[in-house]
Each structure stands twice: as structure tokens, then as C-alpha cells.
Amino acid sequence: MKNIVRLRYWWFIISLLIIVPGAISLGLYGLRLGIDFSGGALWDIQFIERQQDQLNTETIGQVFVANGFPDPRVQISQSTVDGKQVAGVLVRTKRLSGTDSAVEQDRILTALQKDNGQVRLASLQSVGETVSAESTRSAVVAVIGACVAILIYLTIAFRRAPHPLRYGVCAIIAMVHDVLVVIGAASILGVLTNLEIDALFLTAVLTVISFSVHDTIVVFDRIRENLLARRSGESFDDIVNHSIVQTMPRSINTQLTTLFTLVALLMFGGSTVYHFVLILMIGLLSGTYSSIFNAAQLLVVWENREWERWFGKKNDSEPATA
């Protein structure tokens, strides 16, 4: 691992192999949109006299279909009431009618009580199409705005280094890598564990972006310092490699402290934050990897203008130009 930069194309291949399964899942299944982005109603129903293994999602779904809610999505859940674990379900349906919503709720609860005993409606969220469309636009604007702000900030912060714009662009590319990893993982988890894309997921993505950029800045800052103290005959590749070796223990140790906290939350935080924490963990690992093995390596590729060799425009014997 002493010459990390020399293996940069292997790191790029590993990144590609990580992204491809998620991209395939996105193409085949897409994302499982939650109520915040797709609109509709989310029922949180508790079964006071039943255990989780006594609940049948198909039977519960048929109750909703029979009462005017086609294609319901039923998911077993568990919550705590007065210190006791209570079995329940989360059901996503079409939006309730404004005038008869109370009647529709009573009809559903009455039908469920016939075969399941006491039933309680813990919460009912309803989001219209206009609100969900606005949520989608806001999510896109938030991510794009974060990218632009990061690009401007890094270009200004590294203005004393040669080619400061490169640092911002490479950080954005590494960040996009992490976002693709997270979105691909969300698609796969949507198929395997019914993970839904909601406002909490957007919070996780923005947090992952901050993790990624923070770690990338640590590496870039050391590259800048070593460039300013550059010795005669020292290549850019050597400077980047030396900078990575210097900052890698710090990057890994810093992220490990966060990872330990997330593991504790994953184990003891309950089902409410389970998917949120899981996405954060995936993004944290991806961000640590991309800052060391993607962002810094892209600086070397750019400095050496290696794409000219890819397309046969420069011989290996020709000196690299900055």
C-alpha cells in the first residue's frame, strides 16, 4: 500500500464494480418512493391483541382493497406503547377523500377488528400530489445547490494551489460517486427490505455529502501543503501518494468513531431509524473510500492529462504537461 497512486485504475475499477449492481437494480426496479415523494396516505395501525407472527399482510391488504383502497402496500412493524412492544403494520394507500376521510378510517378499523381484536390507528399521514411534487423538486434543488456551493468553496479555499478549480471538480466527482452508491443501495434495499425514499432519506444523502467532502478536503489540504513545499525533481504523483499515506490514518480513525456510533444506533435505535442509519453507514464507508482512492487519484489523472494516452493522442514517452 506504499504506492497507492500507482494502482489508481484498480481503485476506479473497484468503484465501478460497487456502483454497477445498484445501477442494475435502479434500471430494473427503480426506487421505492415513500409518501413524501409519491403522494398518498400512510396508515400506522397497531394490533393490541396480536403478535407479529400472527399478522398476515395479505389478509390485511385484502381488507383495504375491499374498502376502496386498491394496491395497498403492507409492511409489518413494531412499536412501543406504555413500555410494551405492540405489533402493527404500515400500510401505504391512495390518498383519502377529504369529505369522507373519517368514515373511511372507521370502516377500515372496524373491518380489521373483526378478526384481530382491538386495533388502534397510531397515525395517518396524507400527502397530496402537489405537495409530493414540491418535495421532489426541493430534494433535487438541495442536492444541486450543495454541489454548486462545494465547488465554489473549494475553488476559493485552494486558490493558492496550482489549478484550484480541479480540487472542486474532483471533490464533486467523488461526491457523485458516493451519492450513486447510496441511491443504488437504496434501490437494492427497497427490493430486499422495503426501504422507501422519504424526507429522512434525503437527510441521510445530504449528510453523506458532508462526510465525503470533509474527508476529501483533509486529503486535498495535505496535497496543497506538500505542493507548496515541493522539492526539486519530486513528481506530482509522489506528492499525492505521500499526502494520502500521511492522511489515511487520520481519515480512517475519524470515520471509525462515527461508524461506532452508527453501529450502536443500528443495533439499539429501533426500526424507526434503522434504514436511516444503514444508509448513513453505507455512505460513510463510500465517502472514506472515495476521498482516498477516487478524488486524489483523479487529480493525478488530470495533472498528467492521461486521457490523451487513452485516445492515442500522446505517447508514453512524452512528458506530462500541467
Side-chain angles (χ1 to χ4, degrees):
M1 292 293 288
K2 288 185 178 181
N3 198 334
I4 298 171
V5 170
R6 183 173 58 86
L7 302 174
R8 54 187 173 276
Y9 288 102
W10 285 106
W11 310 134
F12 296 155
I13 290 173
I14 291 173
S15 294
L16 186 63
L17 292 176
I18 294 173
I19 292 173
V20 164
I24 293 174
S25 178
L26 279 170
L28 294 176
Y29 306 107
L31 292 171
R32 190 181 178 93
L33 297 178
I35 186 175
D36 295 328
F37 295 102
S38 64
L42 181 65
W43 306 64
D44 184 357
I45 301 174
Q46 297 172 342
F47 293 81
I48 309 301
E49 302 176 7
R50 287 287 183 269
Q51 301 296 322
Q52 276 189 326
D53 56 3
Q54 296 176 316
L55 298 180
N56 187 305
T57 56
E58 184 176 349
T59 302
I60 294 172
Q62 290 173 355
V63 171
F64 279 86
V65 172
N67 287 276
F69 291 94
D71 302 319
R73 293 184 183 178
V74 184
Q75 179 183 350
I76 301 295
S77 66
Q78 193 170 34
S79 57
T80 303
V81 178
D82 297 330
K84 297 181 180 180
Q85 294 293 323
V86 177
V89 292
L90 294 174
V91 185
R92 200 177 83 178
T93 66
K94 69 174 186 178
R95 193 157 50 100
L96 280 73
S97 61
T99 55
D100 298 327
S101 60
V103 176
E104 291 173 327
Q105 294 176 42
D106 291 338
R107 191 164 61 239
I108 291 292
L109 295 177
T110 300
L112 290 173
Q113 286 176 350
K114 290 180 179 179
D115 298 320
N116 299 285
Q118 186 179 357
V119 174
R120 175 176 175 267
L121 181 62
S123 65
L124 177 61
Q125 304 175 44
S126 184
V127 176
E129 295 179 358
T130 302
V131 177
S132 62
E134 181 64 29
S135 297
T136 304
R137 283 194 297 270
S138 299
V140 173
V141 169
V143 174
I144 294 176
C147 293
V148 173
I150 289 167
L151 179 61
I152 295 173
Y153 169 75
L154 288 181
T155 301
I156 296 174
F158 288 88
R159 61 188 180 278
R160 295 182 180 178
H163 313 293
L165 181 63
R166 295 181 181 179
Y167 294 86
V169 173
C170 290
I172 293 297
I173 294 174
M175 186 194 72
V176 170
H177 163 276
D178 300 329
V179 172
L180 290 176
V181 169
V182 167
I183 292 177
S187 177
I188 295 172
L189 291 172
V191 176
L192 300 179
T193 66
N194 296 320
L195 181 147
E196 292 188 344
I197 306 301
D198 54 12
L200 199 59
F201 175 82
L202 176 60
T203 304
V205 170
L206 293 175
T207 306
V208 166
I209 289 175
S210 69
F211 274 136
S212 175
V213 175
H214 171 269
D215 210 27
T216 300
I217 289 176
V218 171
V219 180
F220 281 1
D221 193 55
R222 184 54 60 90
I223 292 174
R224 177 182 59 179
E225 292 176 359
N226 289 336
L227 276 174
L228 295 175
R230 190 175 192 171
R231 296 189 299 270
S232 177
E234 191 175 19
S235 69
F236 187 79
D237 298 37
D238 292 335
I239 290 174
V240 172
N241 189 77
H242 185 54
S243 302
I244 291 174
V245 171
Q246 287 178 323
T247 57
M248 185 182 292
R250 174 184 172 182
S251 297
I252 294 176
N253 291 334
T254 301
Q255 304 296 13
L256 276 177
T257 57
T258 308
L259 187 63
F260 292 151
T261 304
L262 292 177
V263 169
L265 283 173
L266 192 70
M267 295 175 63
F268 307 111
S271 59
T272 305
V273 297
Y274 180 84
H275 284 134
F276 172 73
V277 175
L278 186 59
I279 289 297
L280 279 182
M281 288 180 62
I282 294 171
L284 175 66
L285 295 173
S286 176
T288 304
Y289 179 89
S290 67
S291 63
I292 297 172
F293 298 107
N294 287 341
Q297 316 299 333
L298 287 171
L299 281 178
V300 176
V301 171
W302 200 334
E303 177 73 15
N304 296 336
R305 301 177 67 89
E306 294 179 9
W307 59 83
E308 294 182 355
R309 284 202 300 270
W310 302 344
F311 300 104
K313 294 182 179 180
K314 183 177 73 173
N315 297 322
D316 291 338
S317 58
E318 293 182 6
T321 58

